[in-house]
C-alpha cells in the first residue's frame, strides 16, 4: 500500500529555518514527480515546490522563491523541502505529493506536517 509520511514540522521563529522530509513506501519514487503543497486554515491548498522524476527540473511558488529548496533522493525514496528565512505567512500544514501518468493517473498524498512560524 502506498504511504507518504512527512516529518520535520514544528514551531520556528521568523527568519529561522526548517527542513521537511517525506518518506515514500509502496511506490517507486523515481517514476513520480514529487511536490510539496501547503494549506493554512480557511485557505485553499497551494503548490509550494515541485521536482521532476529525475530531479533535473524544479519549480517554486513566487512566494517562496529564493527561500525554499526542494530536493529528492530516489535511492532513499525521499523528497525534502529546505525552508529558510521563514515568515509568519508560511504557517500551514505541509503535504507531500507524488504524481505520475502512465496510461492512468497516480496521485498520492501524505497526511501533512504542521509548520508554525511565530515569535
Amino acid at each position: 500500500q502506498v504511504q507518504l509520511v512527512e516529518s520535520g514540522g514544528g514551531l520556528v521563529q521568523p527568519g529561522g529555518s526548517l527542513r521537511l522530509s517525506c518518506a515514500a513506501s509502496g511506490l517507486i519514487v523515481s517514476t513520480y514527480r514529487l511536490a510539496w503543497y501547503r494549506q493554512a486554515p480557511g485557505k485553499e491548498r497551494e503548490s509550494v515546490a515541485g521536482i521532476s522524476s529525475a530531479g533535473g527540473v524544479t519549480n517554486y511558488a513566487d512566494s517562496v522563491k529564493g527561500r525554499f529548496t526542494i530536493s529528492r533522493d530516489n535511492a532513499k525514496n525521499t523528497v525534502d523541502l529546505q525552508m529558510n528565512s521563514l515568515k509568519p505567512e508560511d504557517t500551514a500544514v505541509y503535504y507531500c505529493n507524488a504524481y505520475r501518468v502512465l496510461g492512468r493517473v497516480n496521485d498520492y498524498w501524505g497526511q501533512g506536517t504542521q509548520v508554525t512560524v511565530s515569535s
Side-chain angles (χ1 to χ4, degrees):
Q1 294 179 350
V2 172
Q3 277 195 313
L4 302 177
V5 181
E6 301 94 339
S7 63
L11 175 65
V12 64
Q13 295 189 176
S17 297
L18 212 56
R19 189 176 185 90
L20 305 182
S21 294
C22 174
S25 60
L27 76 165
I28 302 173
V29 165
S30 62
T31 67
Y32 287 79
R33 176 187 182 268
L34 302 177
W36 288 93
Y37 290 72
R38 67 186 182 188
Q39 187 169 26
K43 298 181 180 179
E44 295 184 353
R45 185 174 298 187
E46 64 175 346
S47 176
V48 175
I51 185 166
S52 62
S53 59
V57 180
T58 58
N59 63 274
Y60 299 91
D62 288 342
S63 59
V64 307
K65 283 182 178 177
R67 300 189 297 120
F68 291 10
T69 303
I70 188 171
S71 61
R72 66 189 295 159
D73 188 335
N74 287 339
K76 296 195 298 184
N77 271 15
T78 59
V79 57
D80 290 356
L81 184 69
Q82 177 66 46
M83 304 184 294
N84 299 325
S85 302
L86 284 162
K87 305 174 181 179
E89 50 263 46
D90 295 319
T91 296
V93 177
Y94 284 70
Y95 297 91
C96 179
N97 168 255
Y99 179 86
R100 75 175 184 184
V101 181
L102 292 176
R104 56 185 161 189
V105 173
N106 294 104
D107 192 5
Y108 302 108
W109 296 87
Q111 293 299 305
T113 185
Q114 177 71 48
V115 172
T116 302
V117 184
S118 176
S119 59

